[in-house]
């Protein structure tokens, strides 16, 4: 379980997307069998990465929060093909378009994700309530125990709590360092804010007029 953390614009999505391309996944999300593209915006970094496998994953999926809508549309399109086996049961039985954003995301992780997979996720918390994030922590922990590997870009201090995760923090100058849970910026800043919201707001509104 590897997390990428860092401020906006430090390159997390670029790296996740490049890993997806190098692993043979669709750049806009999905598995190896997804081939749709609405607009190719990925950098060429993926073409220059060489992945080294301890063990080739049996399955996998990549997901960008902002393109799950297109993944859902592709699932419906693939499922409409009368010559191929039904796809929806693997996604919880209901089209993601007929579920809420968070529900469809949890359907995907609970029903479609499985053992010995490679899962590349970009800000999965975008869809999720706090309770949903905790459900995701539990499911990721379970799948990691079953031999799956995750690389996840996140700003969520809750997701970072997945047991035994490696947290790589990207600085604004591009340096990457491994930090512990208590040293991760989303954890430090959220803790500081929740401990004394008034002090933070005072700083935002009064000290910076
Ligand atoms: N298609 C693109 N072409 C050129 N530059 C881009 C492109 N997409 C992103 N960038 C730039 O690359 C840098 C890294 O972007 P990236 O999306 O990887 O950041 P991020 O760490 O995922 O940020 P966030 O936390 O906001 O999602 C940013 O400075 C961004 O402006
Ligand atoms: Mg990003």
């Amino acid at each position: 379980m590897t997390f990428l953390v860092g401020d906006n614009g430090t390159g997390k999505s670029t790296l996740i997307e490049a890993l997806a391309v190098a692993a043979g996944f669709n750049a806009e999300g999905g598995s190896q069998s997804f081939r749709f593209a609405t607009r190719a915006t990925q950098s060429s970094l993926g073409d220059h990465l060489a992945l080294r496998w301890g063990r080739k994953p049996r399955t996998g999926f990549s997901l960008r929060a902002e393109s799950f809508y297109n993944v859902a549309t592709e699932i419906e399109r693939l499922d409409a093909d009368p010559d191929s086996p039904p796809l929806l049961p693997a996604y919880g039985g209901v089209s993601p378009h007929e579920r809420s954003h968070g529900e469809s995301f949890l359907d995907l992780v609970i029903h479609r994700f499985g053992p010995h997979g490679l899962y590349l996720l970009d800000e999965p918390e975008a869809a999720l309530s706090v309770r949903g994030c905790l459900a995701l922590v539990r499911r990721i922990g379970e799948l990691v125990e079953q031999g799956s590997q995750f690389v996840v870009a996140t700003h969520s201090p809750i997701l970072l709590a997945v047991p035994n995760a490696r947290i790589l923090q990207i600085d604004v100058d591009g340096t990457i360092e491994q930090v512990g849970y208590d040293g991760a910026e989303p954890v430090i800043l959220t803790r500081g804010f929740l401990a004394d919201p008034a002090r933070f707001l005072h700083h935002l509104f009064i000290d910076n007029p």
Side-chain angles (χ1 to χ4, degrees):
M1 173 69 249
T2 302
F3 284 111
L4 304 176
V5 298
D7 215 339
N8 294 128
T10 45
K12 303 177 299 298
S13 297
T14 304
L15 196 50
I16 293 277
E17 222 168 72
L19 285 173
V21 169
F25 298 161
N26 193 35
E28 286 188 31
S31 64
Q32 281 99 334
S33 51
F34 284 63
R35 281 285 156 257
F36 72 92
T38 50
R39 180 167 180 270
T41 54
Q42 70 273 18
S43 71
S44 57
L45 178 61
D47 302 327
H48 300 279
L49 285 184
L51 304 188
R52 208 171 53 201
W53 306 102
R55 178 172 54 189
K56 270 270 191 189
R58 269 217 324 246
T59 176
F61 212 91
S62 75
L63 203 65
R64 299 198 318 212
E66 79 272 20
S67 60
F68 190 40
Y69 185 91
N70 300 330
V71 170
T73 303
E74 180 67 359
I75 292 169
E76 283 189 346
R77 195 188 67 78
L78 290 171
D79 215 35
D81 178 357
D83 296 330
S84 45
L87 206 64
L88 272 186
Y91 293 87
V94 186
S95 166
H97 279 314
E98 289 161 27
R99 300 279 274 162
S100 79
H101 190 196
E103 283 174 336
S104 58
F105 183 76
L106 287 175
D107 277 349
L108 176 79
V109 180
I110 289 166
H111 299 288
R112 166 64 178 76
F113 288 12
H116 304 293
L118 172 64
Y119 299 107
L120 308 170
L121 309 178
D122 195 358
E123 296 189 33
E125 71 270 19
L128 299 174
S129 66
V130 172
R131 221 183 280 276
C133 281
L134 289 168
L136 180 60
V137 166
R138 187 193 144 94
R139 180 64 177 145
I140 291 178
E142 198 171 80
L143 288 166
V144 167
E145 290 259 298
Q146 296 168 358
S148 281
Q149 182 174 9
F150 283 78
V151 183
V152 178
T154 189
H155 298 293
S156 165
I158 296 177
L159 284 194
L160 290 173
V162 171
N164 306 316
R166 174 168 57 166
I167 303 173
L168 301 180
Q169 185 153 284
I170 310 178
D171 208 339
V172 278
D173 67 4
T175 50
I176 303 180
E177 71 167 329
Q178 185 170 342
V179 295
Y181 182 78
D182 294 311
E185 200 169 68
V187 175
I188 293 173
L189 289 177
T190 307
R191 263 193 186 139
F193 180 82
L194 292 178
D196 193 352
R199 189 173 63 84
F200 267 73
L201 293 177
H202 189 276
H203 177 67
L204 279 179
F205 290 105
I206 312 293
D207 297 344
N208 299 297

